[in-house]
Amino acid sequence: MAFLDLLESSPAPAEHPGAVRAAAAAQRLSALVLAGGEPLGAGTPLAPRGGSGGSLTPPRGPRAERWAGGELEGSAALSPAAGTRTAPGASSGIAAGTGTAPSWRVGGQAGSGATREAQPGPLRAHAAAEAAPAGGGRPRASGAGPAPSGAGAAAAVRGLGVWRAMGEAGTGPGHREGPGPGPGPEPEEDEAAGGGGGGGGGGARGGRAGPRGGIRVLKRNVKRNGSRSCLNRTRFGSRERDWLREDAGRGCVYVYGRDSASCASSDLRLVLCTVDTPASEICDGEERKNLFLQLHGDLVRRLEPAEKPLQIVYDYLAGLGFDDPVRMQEEAANSDLSCMIRFYSEKPCQVEQLDRILLSGIYNVRKGKTQLHKWAERLVILCGTCLIVSSVKDSHTGKMHILPLVGGKVEEMKRRQYTLAFTSAGAQAQTYHVSFETLAECQRWHRQASTVVSMRLSMVDLSCYSLEEVPEYLFYSQDIIYLNLRHNFMRSCGPGSLDSLCRFSQLKSLNLSHNRLGEFPLSLCEISTLTELNVSCNGLHCLPTQIGKLLNLQSFWLDGNFLTSLPEELGSLQQLSCLGLSFNNFRELPAIFEKLTFLDKLALAGNLLETLDLAVLNRMSHIKSVDLRLNNLKRAVDDTPEGNKSVTYMDLRDNRLTDLDLSSLGSLEQLHCERNKLKELTLSGFSLRALYANNNCLTSVNVYPVPGQLTCLELVHNQLQCVPDWACEAKKLEVLDMSYNLLVELPSRILSSLSLRKLMVGHNNLQSLPPLLEHILLEVLDLQHNLLTELPEMLFVKALNLRYLNVSANNLESLPSACTGEESLSMLQLLYLTSNNLTDQCIPVLAGHTSLRILHLANNNLQAFPASKLSKLEHLEELNLSGNKLKTIPTTVANCKLLHTLIAHSNEISIFPEILHLPHIQIVDLSCNELTEILIPEALPATLQELDLTGNTNLVLEHKTLDIFSHITTLKIDAKPSLTTDSALTSTFWSHGIAEMAGQRNKLCVSTLAMGSFAEGVEAVYGMFDGDKNEELPRLLQCTMADVLLEEVQQSDTMFMSNTFLVSHRKLGMAGQKLGSSAVLCYIRHDMSDPASNFSLTVANVGTCQAILCRSGKPLLLSKVFSLEQCSEDAKRIKEQKAIITEDNKVNGVTCCTRMLGCTYLHPWILPKPHVSSIPLTVQDELLLLGNKALWEYLSYTEAVSAVRHLHDPLAAAKKLCTLAQSYGCQDNVGAMVVCLNISEDSCTCEMHGITLPGPGGFSSTTTKPATPSSSSGIASEFSSELSASEVSSEVGSTASDEHNAVGLDGSLLPRQERRCSLHPLPPLSIFQRQPSSATFSSNQSDNGLDSDDEQPVEGVMTNGSKVEVEVDIHCCKGKGLEFDPPALEYSSSAPGPEDDSGLVLLIQRQNSVNSGTAQGAIKEKCELQKSPSTCCLYGKKLSNGSIVPLEESLNLIEVATEAPKKKTGYFAAPSQVEPEDQFVVPPDLEEEVKEQMKQHQENGADQERKEESAVALPDEFDTAL
């Protein structure tokens, strides 16, 4: 629906009769209401009100502006007649105006009656509407005397670019409607027409907006629908549409009324304005003092009078990623946008927030614990830390009793209902009893008071309340020590502002972060008691010199500002021990740090430093910790020979350092230098305890002397070829991680280290491990992704403390024994052996590890798992046997009582294992096996959460079984195959498989979108969504994103993918305010600009979900990783926008993503604008892989492609990817999608049911089942030899009879237009298009290879396993009056695949010049045709032996060509049956040509055989390109 369709017209308010007077006209209205009437032409006289004669003509030139604004004395208030109609009975007599600019008039008002005094100031539309109901009728309140008989057209004023709509649509008592001279409402805008009556004109409902610079206010009481406002959608006037479309700078702003929990509805107004309209004009039009802005349903701030609301909306949309002004105009008028940006005419409030700020009321109060005091009515206030009780008598105003509650108690009185006893702390505690009227009120007070009395310190938390001032009653809490005003909009001056905070005499800690201060409040320098002050993220550019007055200040936080220098007076704060200056604009280390001797930490992360001057750092002898991450450091210099003995911690992450020499820092204990460009690193080892240098280009790391205190060393993702010698000599080294390096050997000293507990050397080039001679203390050993062929023989004997071993992705063929004697001492609990060459011989060795809890044996060569060995693994909790050749799972699996996860997909299991009796079983994955039936117990275990049975083609589940399985949380079974033609077409070009695994988490936060047939055409959409820790947003995107894409494709052919993400971001609504999700979306379609082109792939993504295209066996990255670590552009943008990036590298401590859908409260740091790439698909494109962050974190692109490239089943491929990620260490949610592509140069997308054989009276109607997907191009055409003639007639729709009759549809094949590909465009009627093809036709019914009418076989044809290639014309046509002789052809082909059991009916016609030759097969595989008991009979005489004799007049339909063009695709030669009786029936008149052709076949036989041998085997199916 267009955005203007959402706008509503409303009843025009009543107008007083004297509005034409100079006093009413001189009012400076700042909002104009459009009224009824037709446009005026130039110079059209204006009728004065009251029905009297005379005319008013608007002045021209500069005087016109003053007159329209009401500055000229005696001028009438005018309304722009922009095309609104008058209702029947209106007396206008106005001619239609010319031109685009609206004209102005004062409408007439007939009759006389009681007049109403002019309202002071701008007239409110809804106030006037209360006095006069819409459409005429009785008013709500009748005045003295008869009411005005005419419904006046609205008065309006054009002033300061603001328009205000108002009108009068009713009369007084006793008035009845009557006809009038005015025209009736137009049919298009009848909903906006106003009702009139009597002899006067009806008030217009819905006016026209004027020229740029104006606004129109439409008032609506919108009913609440749950937690969202719903707008009754009606038509909006076409002139308003035209007015908006004339200029993209115009638009619509939603203005909401006070939205509180006590209100049943929200007062909503739609304001038409321009980008130049300030908030003050809208406020004047609404008779409001202020306009408020709320972002993302969170904080609400007051707009300054000069701020422009529509420009704020457009800037917000541009920040999201919209760049088309017209599209931004549409988005601004969408009601869903209110979840992200919303305007209020009154500040909204919530009862819960108000309760936490202040509770007040008049209740009966009694003082003291005894009953000596009487109950009296008092004003009771709970604010801050105190209970305030005051008299309600005016004479006692100001007399208050203050009861401190911190450390006290609040209790419910048992003797009196709804009564609380408030008691202060201390020896002289006082008590007040307060009696409430209702239980709910009593509970509110009790809940808030309990929070106060439970505090140990006098703390008041007023953060995130959108406060501009603190409540006056808060200043009675003089014991406040800690005051938190974070995330508010505190003012610097005024009552309750920051200037008043000095009234708190004991205030020590003050938090004013995120208050948009702009300047440092000087009044804060007067609070001498402050010891902690936080003014982060306030846009400060400098500090005042008065800051030196805060002599007691110990912690000063200034992060997230724009500071470039510090005042010298800051050096007088000698007690300052913590100074936060991160994410400012410092370009060098401030010299003031040398004076702050108590300061021990230098926090300058996220600044603009380019050089680390160690000499300056040496002069700051008191600094112990240095945080310089996320700067622009390129080098470190040290000009002084003196060393630094104070710095113990240094963080240099995410800089641009290439070489680093910190050998002068003799006291350095911990160094972080990850994600630099370091090639060489030099350190001092005197005090070094931990070194983290991951993600660099290190080739050498020098530490001298040997670090005797070193406990942790991480050098991941570098280029080291050996383990440093000093690391082998470190006596206290406990953790060594050198994964992703170039190690070729492992020193024996490392393995024999007495201190090493964790060794991670995966993803290297290790070919062997040193022999173990002594016992080692290793507990964790990671050797995955190396070149190991065997493990040390004594590994499990010497490493008795080993708990975790991962040797996945090696070349292991055997495992060492777990014990030397009869008893095993192994303590191994986690063993990962995935992707090796292990056989059944390793199973007895595994039985020696009786403590195993997790065992992964996926993708090996296992054929059986001995039952006796499995029974010994009693502690097994997780077992993964996927990707092997297992026939069964041993029944002894029932002994594994602790087993909760069994994954055994992609095997050959035919018997369902006995696992449903296990008490703790949770996840069972038996997909892609050969299950036929399931024997289940009467009751399933209550713990079973997921059962995956997909990919078992022979499995048939009874209804009883499905009923039992219905109680499982997640049940995955194969859906029934669709018989639609679209599914047949889509399965030809692409097929997909999806795998999702929760891992160690208790919920799955990954969702996928897979639509192989999209937009009613040969298109496809695939997507993946990862919510990290939430599952709501991925599911929302899964349900809505395809619909959004379909709408955007229809609107734009260039920006559709980007707009899809932005609109989906908006449609998340309230769920997207706090939650976020990564997303990747892939769209396959034909290029609309070039219909003759092949398919193109468009990919868009945000966050960490990625898409990979396998092209010629190589991975091609189509997406971009939007994270702080991998997207430097976004990281720079976020730094410039002053977001706080925490030490764990997350934006505001929430997410590491820089772009994602949702998380609108992190705007503008986190954006939804996606990365979009488009690429044409070619014949070299094999796979499309989609995965979330967890998948690509543990699986490289190259390994993912090579792991699944050879698999024909996309489901098994996706399962394998997830299994590999889990075996490599992933414990998070992991999701994978594999799309097998079958794109070739001659990919045909024609609708196959449009291809048929002609009958005598026209064409037969045909229906086909889905074609079998194949690796070759084109549509799979299989002529099933397993169907009888009757089956063919029922399945294909043709008729096989002795009379050779065919009953067809009269003149047309299909009830709708055929979908045709670029290779087969739809021809004009009665015109055939010729397409070359090649097919193999054979018969296996004749005993002698001959039909009964053939006298003798043709020489060269009667050969064993022979094949004849003929080029025929396959006509994809549609038309009337095309009458041909029905062709007769005998043929048979291979048995159909599982998804194709019907042949395709082809129309074959002889061509005058046909060439034939050795055709290049379009497929890559040999296909052996199986013998069938019957043959397909289409047209022809059916004989007793089952063969078919073609009609004599049809024998010339097939002509064997002499020279066929040689091309790689488009021609197909299928091998015939292997039975010796296979023959091909050749018409007599073609025998000589066939003989000649067969000779050419024999000459080229050797070359043809070589080509066939190089093809890949694909059983039981072949394709014929159409």
Side-chain angles (χ1 to χ4, degrees):
M1 180 179 294
F3 78 101
L4 286 174
D5 292 336
L6 299 176
L7 304 180
E8 287 190 337
S9 58
S10 61
E15 179 187 275
H16 57 87
V20 74
R21 295 185 308 224
Q27 293 180 354
R28 296 296 306 278
L29 302 181
S30 59
L32 286 166
V33 176
L34 303 180
E38 299 295 328
L40 296 175
T44 304
L46 301 176
R49 306 190 181 195
S52 59
S55 63
L56 291 176
T57 303
R60 303 177 183 275
R63 183 178 170 82
E65 296 296 331
R66 299 171 54 205
W67 178 80
E71 298 181 17
L72 297 185
E73 186 176 351
S75 60
L78 304 179
S79 64
T84 18
R85 307 152 317 285
T86 55
S91 57
S92 59
I94 305 299
T98 58
T100 58
S103 41
W104 311 82
R105 71 175 178 86
V106 175
Q109 185 174 11
S112 61
T115 60
R116 195 174 41 156
E117 295 298 331
Q119 298 182 10
L123 298 178
R124 299 179 58 186
H126 65 282
E130 293 176 358
R138 300 181 63 87
R140 298 183 182 179
S142 60
S149 60
V157 178
R158 181 189 180 194
L160 301 177
V162 183
W163 294 5
R164 166 86 186 205
M166 50 181 276
E168 202 162 32
T171 57
H175 171 75
R176 59 184 179 88
E177 297 181 0
E186 301 174 5
E188 178 186 0
E189 301 175 357
D190 55 352
E191 295 179 1
R205 295 183 59 191
R208 303 302 187 212
R212 180 175 180 176
I215 69 169
R216 178 188 177 187
V217 181
L218 299 176
K219 185 248 184 186
R220 266 292 172 265
N221 285 327
V222 181
K223 294 182 179 181
R224 303 282 294 181
N225 182 10
S227 60
R228 299 179 58 187
S229 297
C230 297
L231 187 63
N232 296 327
R233 301 180 178 182
T234 60
R235 303 249 340 147
F236 193 66
S238 60
R239 295 298 178 88
E240 280 82 355
R241 299 170 185 267
D242 296 338
W243 181 80
L244 290 177
R245 289 168 180 165
E246 286 175 1
D247 190 350
R250 302 169 180 173
C252 171
V253 172
Y254 287 81
V255 179
Y256 291 79
R258 186 183 184 91
D259 185 15
S260 62
S262 61
C263 297
S265 63
S266 177
D267 191 11
L268 173 63
R269 291 172 178 81
L270 303 178
V271 181
L272 297 179
C273 57
T274 71
V275 293
D276 298 325
T277 304
S280 58
E281 297 184 3
I282 298 179
C283 293
D284 293 341
E286 291 290 297
E287 286 188 347
R288 304 289 184 184
K289 295 182 180 180
N290 298 285
L291 196 64
F292 296 88
L293 170 65
Q294 182 185 44
L295 293 178
H296 322 121
D298 196 3
L299 303 181
V300 181
R301 74 174 180 90
R302 187 191 310 268
L303 290 180
E304 298 296 331
E307 289 189 87
K308 303 169 183 177
L310 186 59
Q311 186 63 52
I312 293 176
V313 175
Y314 285 176
D315 291 343
Y316 182 88
L317 293 173
L320 291 180
F322 289 104
D323 51 12
D324 183 11
V326 176
R327 183 57 189 265
M328 286 193 292
Q329 188 183 63
E330 297 178 4
E331 289 293 320
N334 199 302
S335 59
D336 290 341
L337 193 66
S338 61
C339 290
M340 293 189 287
I341 181 170
R342 178 181 292 195
F343 295 95
Y344 285 97
S345 58
E346 299 181 40
K347 187 175 181 180
C349 58
Q350 298 180 3
V351 174
E352 295 180 357
Q353 290 187 355
L354 293 177
D355 289 351
R356 288 192 289 267
I357 298 174
L358 184 144
L359 282 175
S360 64
I362 298 177
Y363 307 105
N364 289 325
V365 179
R366 192 190 70 189
K367 182 180 179 182
K369 296 182 179 181
T370 63
Q371 299 183 3
L372 298 177
H373 298 81
K374 298 181 180 180
W375 291 91
E377 195 176 60
R378 295 288 185 266
L379 173 63
V380 184
I381 300 172
L382 177 60
C383 184
T385 61
C386 297
L387 183 72
I388 304 172
V389 181
S390 63
S391 175
V392 294
K393 297 180 181 180
D394 296 337
S395 58
H396 297 111
T397 301
K399 295 182 180 180
M400 299 182 179
H401 300 271
I402 301 174
L403 183 69
L405 293 179
V406 176
K409 59 182 179 180
V410 55
E411 298 173 323
E412 295 184 17
M413 290 187 62
K414 298 180 180 180
R415 297 181 180 180
R416 189 179 181 94
Q417 192 177 25
Y418 310 146
T419 302
L420 297 178
F422 298 89
T423 305
S424 62
Q428 299 179 352
Q430 293 181 336
T431 300
Y432 281 89
H433 298 84
V434 181
S435 178
F436 302 95
E437 297 179 356
T438 62
L439 176 63
E441 205 169 15
C442 179
Q443 291 176 343
R444 287 172 54 199
W445 282 75
H446 188 273
R447 181 169 53 250
Q448 182 61 23
S450 299
T451 303
V452 177
V453 299
S454 63
M455 295 187 300
R456 295 183 179 180
L457 299 176
S458 297
M459 299 167 42
V460 175
D461 187 358
L462 297 178
S463 61
C464 304
Y465 287 157
S466 302
L467 296 178
E468 296 180 355
E469 58 189 27
V470 296
E472 181 65 25
Y473 289 103
L474 186 65
F475 293 102
Y476 290 97
S477 303
Q478 285 298 310
D479 59 340
I480 293 179
I481 297 176
Y482 177 87
L483 180 60
N484 185 3
L485 295 173
R486 180 179 60 92
H487 276 291
N488 285 291
F489 303 99
M490 294 296 299
R491 295 179 300 177
S492 298
C493 57
S497 64
L498 298 180
D499 291 345
S500 305
L501 297 184
C502 59
R503 294 167 58 182
F504 294 108
S505 58
Q506 301 182 33
L507 187 61
K508 294 184 178 181
S509 178
L510 177 61
N511 190 344
L512 288 172
S513 62
H514 297 88
N515 267 273
R516 298 170 57 97
L517 297 177
E519 296 181 357
F520 191 91
L522 295 178
S523 59
L524 299 182
C525 301
E526 305 298 330
I527 310 177
S528 59
T529 57
L530 281 179
T531 60
E532 182 179 347
L533 177 61
N534 190 340
V535 287
S536 301
C537 302
N538 277 291
L540 305 179
H541 288 79
C542 61
L543 294 179
T545 56
Q546 291 87 341
I547 197 68
K549 296 181 179 180
L550 301 176
L551 298 179
N552 294 320
L553 201 62
Q554 300 177 8
S555 298
F556 195 14
W557 303 102
L558 293 163
D559 305 309
N561 288 291
F562 298 91
L563 300 176
T564 57
S565 61
L566 297 176
E568 291 294 331
E569 288 76 8
L570 192 65
S572 61
L573 307 182
Q574 292 300 313
Q575 297 187 30
L576 194 64
S577 60
C578 183
L579 179 61
L581 297 174
S582 298
F583 301 97
N584 280 277
N585 295 336
F586 290 98
R587 295 186 176 274
E588 58 183 13
L589 296 178
I592 196 67
F593 278 93
E594 300 182 21
K595 299 181 179 180
L596 301 174
T597 56
F598 275 81
L599 200 65
D600 60 352
K601 182 176 181 179
L602 183 64
L604 283 170
N607 280 273
L608 305 177
L609 277 70
E610 296 185 355
T611 303
L612 175 58
D613 193 346
L614 296 178
V616 176
L617 199 60
N618 292 340
R619 293 195 294 268
M620 305 176 186
S621 58
H622 49 278
I623 298 295
K624 296 181 179 180
S625 176
V626 178
D627 184 3
L628 296 177
R629 58 190 173 87
L630 293 165
N631 276 272
N632 298 327
L633 294 176
K634 298 179 181 178
R635 59 194 182 100
V637 297
D638 188 3
D639 299 333
T640 60
E642 299 179 0
N644 188 303
K645 298 182 180 180
S646 60
V647 176
T648 60
Y649 174 89
M650 181 169 287
D651 193 343
L652 301 175
R653 286 177 289 177
D654 299 286
N655 281 282
R656 303 178 183 177
L657 297 169
T658 55
D659 295 294
L660 184 60
D661 186 355
L662 298 179
S663 57
S664 62
L665 304 181
S667 300
L668 186 63
E669 298 180 0
Q670 185 172 338
L671 173 64
H672 285 272
C673 56
E674 300 99 310
R675 293 180 295 278
N676 280 275
K677 300 179 181 179
L678 293 175
K679 296 182 179 180
E680 187 174 355
L681 177 62
T682 304
L683 300 174
S684 171
F686 284 108
S687 304
L688 191 63
R689 296 178 180 271
L691 173 59
Y692 306 93
N694 304 329
N695 298 95
N696 283 284
C697 305
L698 289 172
T699 57
S700 64
V701 179
N702 303 315
V703 178
Y704 182 83
V706 174
Q709 305 296 322
L710 184 66
T711 59
C712 182
L713 177 61
E714 293 188 5
L715 300 171
V716 182
H717 278 289
N718 282 284
Q719 300 177 9
L720 298 171
Q721 297 183 357
C722 61
V723 180
D725 293 336
W726 54 266
C728 301
E729 299 177 2
K731 302 300 183 182
K732 294 185 179 181
L733 185 62
E734 297 180 0
V735 178
L736 175 60
D737 192 349
M738 295 189 66
S739 305
Y740 295 94
N741 277 278
L742 305 175
L743 302 180
V744 295
E745 62 178 358
L746 203 59
S748 58
R749 292 180 296 172
I750 285 294
L751 291 177
S752 60
S753 173
L754 298 179
S755 60
L756 194 63
R757 296 294 184 271
K758 185 176 181 180
L759 178 60
M760 316 285 287
V761 288
H763 297 272
N764 281 282
N765 299 324
L766 299 177
Q767 297 183 0
S768 63
L769 296 179
L772 300 180
L773 303 178
E774 300 177 355
H775 287 279
I776 61 177
L777 301 179
L778 275 178
E779 297 179 2
V780 176
L781 179 59
D782 191 343
L783 298 168
Q784 61 175 301
H785 288 87
N786 280 283
L787 305 176
L788 300 175
T789 57
E790 61 179 1
L791 295 176
E793 183 178 357
M794 303 296 292
L795 176 62
F796 297 123
V797 177
K798 299 296 184 180
L800 297 179
N801 293 335
L802 194 61
R803 302 289 194 278
Y804 174 97
L805 176 62
N806 194 333
V807 287
S808 299
N810 280 279
N811 299 320
L812 298 179
E813 297 181 357
S814 62
L815 296 175
S817 176
C819 59
T820 55
E822 297 180 356
E823 184 178 358
S824 173
L825 300 178
S826 173
M827 300 297 294
L828 191 64
Q829 298 181 9
L830 290 82
L831 179 58
Y832 297 89
L833 299 169
T834 299
S835 297
N836 281 282
N837 299 323
L838 299 176
T839 61
D840 302 348
Q841 299 178 357
C842 72
I843 303 300
V845 178
L846 296 176
H849 301 284
T850 56
S851 299
L852 276 179
R853 294 191 298 108
I854 298 178
L855 175 60
H856 281 221
L857 280 168
N859 302 320
N860 281 281
N861 298 323
L862 302 180
Q863 295 184 357
F865 202 113
S868 60
K869 307 303 179 183
L870 183 59
S871 62
K872 296 182 179 181
L873 303 178
E874 297 179 354
H875 297 87
L876 203 60
E877 299 176 6
E878 179 179 328
L879 177 61
N880 194 325
L881 299 172
S882 306
N884 287 282
K885 301 177 182 179
L886 298 176
K887 303 292 183 180
T888 60
I889 300 293
T891 57
T892 52
V893 71
N895 294 336
C896 304
K897 300 297 184 180
L898 301 178
L899 188 68
H900 59 71
T901 301
L902 174 62
I903 303 177
H905 62 79
S906 306
N907 279 281
E908 301 173 4
I909 300 174
S910 58
I911 301 176
F912 193 83
E914 299 180 5
I915 55 175
L916 298 182
H917 298 278
L918 298 177
H920 300 286
I921 192 67
Q922 297 178 9
I923 300 174
V924 178
D925 188 351
L926 293 171
S927 58
C928 302
N929 278 284
E930 299 178 0
L931 295 176
T932 56
E933 61 179 357
I934 299 178
L935 299 177
I936 59 176
E938 296 180 357
L940 296 178
T943 57
L944 185 60
Q945 300 176 3
E946 180 177 342
L947 177 60
D948 193 345
L949 300 175
T950 55
N952 292 276
T953 57
N954 299 324
L955 179 61
V956 178
L957 297 180
E958 299 178 354
H959 292 288
K960 179 180 179 181
T961 304
L962 291 176
D963 292 340
I964 296 176
F965 283 165
S966 62
H967 301 287
I968 304 176
T969 305
T970 304
L971 174 63
K972 299 179 181 180
I973 57 176
D974 288 327
K976 294 183 179 180
S978 174
L979 299 180
T980 60
T981 305
D982 288 340
S983 62
L985 291 170
T986 54
S987 64
T988 303
F989 301 107
W990 43 73
S991 57
H992 67 271
I994 302 172
E996 300 166 345
M997 298 183 181
Q1000 301 296 325
R1001 294 172 55 179
N1002 56 0
K1003 64 178 180 178
L1004 182 65
C1005 300
V1006 178
S1007 295
T1008 56
L1009 171 65
M1011 301 181 66
S1013 178
F1014 181 69
E1016 297 184 357
V1018 185
E1019 298 179 355
V1021 174
Y1022 299 102
M1024 180 166 290
F1025 317 104
D1026 186 0
D1028 192 16
K1029 292 181 175 61
N1030 78 89
E1031 56 185 346
E1032 292 83 1
L1033 253 60
R1035 292 181 180 178
L1036 284 175
L1037 294 171
Q1038 179 188 33
C1039 298
T1040 60
M1041 208 162 191
D1043 295 334
V1044 176
L1045 175 61
L1046 184 59
E1047 295 177 0
E1048 294 299 329
V1049 169
Q1050 297 172 354
Q1051 294 185 17
S1052 172
D1053 194 46
T1054 56
M1055 300 297 296
F1056 66 91
M1057 194 62 99
S1058 179
N1059 289 343
T1060 297
F1061 274 68
L1062 299 181
V1063 173
S1064 299
H1065 176 74
R1066 167 173 56 80
K1067 285 182 174 292
L1068 292 175
M1070 297 179 64
Q1073 292 177 350
K1074 302 298 182 182
L1075 305 177
S1077 175
S1078 299
V1080 60
L1081 193 66
C1082 303
Y1083 180 33
I1084 304 176
R1085 65 166 183 169
H1086 276 291
D1087 190 355
M1088 303 304 295
S1089 61
D1090 185 10
S1093 65
N1094 211 323
F1095 291 106
S1096 64
L1097 172 63
T1098 303
V1099 178
N1101 82 294
V1102 292
T1104 54
C1105 291
Q1106 300 177 62
I1108 308 296
L1109 181 65
C1110 173
R1111 172 169 290 181
S1112 299
K1114 302 293 182 61
L1116 179 61
L1117 182 61
L1118 301 177
S1119 53
K1120 187 175 182 180
V1121 182
F1122 287 105
S1123 66
L1124 289 172
E1125 299 178 358
Q1126 303 187 44
C1127 186
S1128 58
E1129 300 88 354
D1130 277 6
K1132 180 180 179 181
R1133 171 183 59 83
I1134 291 175
K1135 282 176 52 181
E1136 293 174 351
Q1137 293 171 341
K1138 302 305 174 184
I1140 302 299
I1141 302 176
T1142 52
E1143 292 187 359
D1144 55 353
N1145 232 29
K1146 293 184 177 181
V1147 180
N1148 280 15
V1150 177
T1151 176
C1152 64
C1153 296
T1154 59
R1155 299 190 190 185
M1156 61 194 310
L1157 299 181
C1159 278
T1160 56
Y1161 79 104
L1162 292 178
H1163 179 85
W1165 309 308
I1166 307 300
L1167 299 178
K1169 185 177 181 180
H1171 169 268
V1172 182
S1173 63
S1174 184
I1175 185 174
L1177 295 178
T1178 65
V1179 293
Q1180 289 81 21
D1181 297 327
E1182 305 171 14
L1183 299 171
L1184 177 63
L1185 307 181
L1186 280 70
N1188 67 332
K1189 175 186 177 182
L1191 180 71
W1192 302 118
E1193 186 175 339
Y1194 290 91
L1195 211 61
S1196 66
Y1197 307 140
T1198 303
E1199 183 179 3
V1201 167
S1202 61
V1204 301
R1205 185 187 177 195
H1206 66 282
L1207 298 178
H1208 298 288
D1209 185 1
L1211 175 60
K1215 290 281 187 180
K1216 183 176 181 180
L1217 291 179
C1218 292
T1219 298
L1220 290 177
Q1222 288 187 335
S1223 295
Y1224 297 161
C1226 177
Q1227 298 182 358
D1228 205 347
N1229 291 169
V1230 58
M1233 181 186 298
V1234 177
V1235 182
C1236 294
L1237 299 175
N1238 182 25
I1239 308 299
S1240 66
E1241 296 177 356
D1242 60 347
S1243 297
C1244 176
T1245 61
C1246 297
E1247 288 183 334
M1248 295 307 298
H1249 56 268
I1251 305 174
T1252 182
L1253 287 173
F1259 291 87
S1260 302
S1261 67
T1262 63
T1263 58
T1264 62
K1265 287 190 176 182
T1268 302
S1270 172
S1271 60
S1272 64
S1273 61
I1275 295 180
S1277 299
E1278 293 195 1
F1279 300 88
S1280 174
S1281 61
E1282 303 234 351
L1283 295 177
S1284 63
S1286 60
E1287 290 173 334
V1288 171
S1289 66
S1290 63
E1291 292 287 342
V1292 185
S1294 61
T1295 303
S1297 65
D1298 295 341
E1299 289 78 13
H1300 320 297
N1301 292 329
V1303 180
L1305 296 176
D1306 185 16
S1308 65
L1309 293 171
L1310 297 172
R1312 62 182 175 89
Q1313 182 75 10
E1314 280 187 282
R1315 180 176 59 246
R1316 306 304 292 275
C1317 67
S1318 59
L1319 298 176
H1320 307 102
L1322 188 66
L1325 293 180
S1326 303
I1327 297 180
F1328 284 91
Q1329 299 293 329
R1330 178 179 181 273
Q1331 288 295 331
S1333 180
S1334 177
T1336 299
F1337 302 91
S1338 63
S1339 172
N1340 58 356
Q1341 295 299 320
S1342 301
D1343 297 336
N1344 56 356
L1346 292 174
D1347 281 326
S1348 57
D1349 288 359
D1350 294 334
E1351 297 180 357
Q1352 55 182 341
V1354 181
E1355 182 179 358
V1357 178
M1358 296 174 55
T1359 57
N1360 184 20
S1362 64
K1363 56 184 178 181
V1364 177
E1365 297 177 20
V1366 294
E1367 185 177 10
V1368 297
D1369 291 331
I1370 302 176
H1371 300 276
C1372 305
C1373 58
K1374 175 182 179 181
K1376 290 186 177 182
L1378 302 179
E1379 296 184 2
F1380 299 95
D1381 293 333
L1385 182 64
E1386 179 181 357
Y1387 63 90
S1388 66
S1389 70
S1390 66
E1395 296 181 12
D1396 188 357
D1397 56 359
S1398 64
L1400 296 177
V1401 185
L1402 303 180
L1403 174 63
I1404 305 174
Q1405 181 191 7
R1406 177 178 177 177
Q1407 294 291 328
N1408 294 329
S1409 58
V1410 182
N1411 297 327
S1412 176
T1414 304
Q1416 301 291 337
I1419 63 172
K1420 303 177 181 179
E1421 313 153 3
K1422 289 186 178 181
C1423 302
E1424 297 184 358
L1425 305 180
Q1426 300 177 358
K1427 184 176 180 179
S1428 301
S1430 61
T1431 184
C1432 293
C1433 178
L1434 297 179
Y1435 292 98
K1437 186 176 181 180
K1438 182 177 179 183
L1439 302 183
S1440 58
N1441 63 351
S1443 62
I1444 301 174
V1445 177
L1447 299 177
E1448 293 296 327
E1449 60 269 23
S1450 303
L1451 296 180
N1452 59 352
L1453 291 179
I1454 301 178
E1455 180 179 3
V1456 180
T1458 56
E1459 294 180 1
K1462 297 182 178 180
K1463 52 186 296 187
K1464 294 183 178 180
T1465 58
Y1467 295 92
F1468 172 66
S1472 66
Q1473 303 286 354
V1474 298
E1475 284 76 11
E1477 64 269 14
D1478 284 348
Q1479 303 293 335
F1480 185 80
V1481 180
V1482 180
D1485 56 338
L1486 298 179
E1487 292 180 359
E1488 296 298 327
E1489 296 181 36
V1490 171
K1491 291 178 181 180
E1492 182 180 356
Q1493 181 65 19
M1494 291 303 301
K1495 293 180 181 179
Q1496 297 180 10
H1497 276 265
Q1498 293 175 359
E1499 293 174 358
N1500 299 328
D1503 181 60
Q1504 182 68 18
E1505 290 177 1
R1506 287 194 299 267
K1507 293 179 180 178
E1508 292 179 354
E1509 290 175 358
S1510 62
V1512 182
L1514 176 64
D1516 296 338
E1517 62 183 32
F1518 64 93
D1519 291 353
T1520 299
L1522 299 183

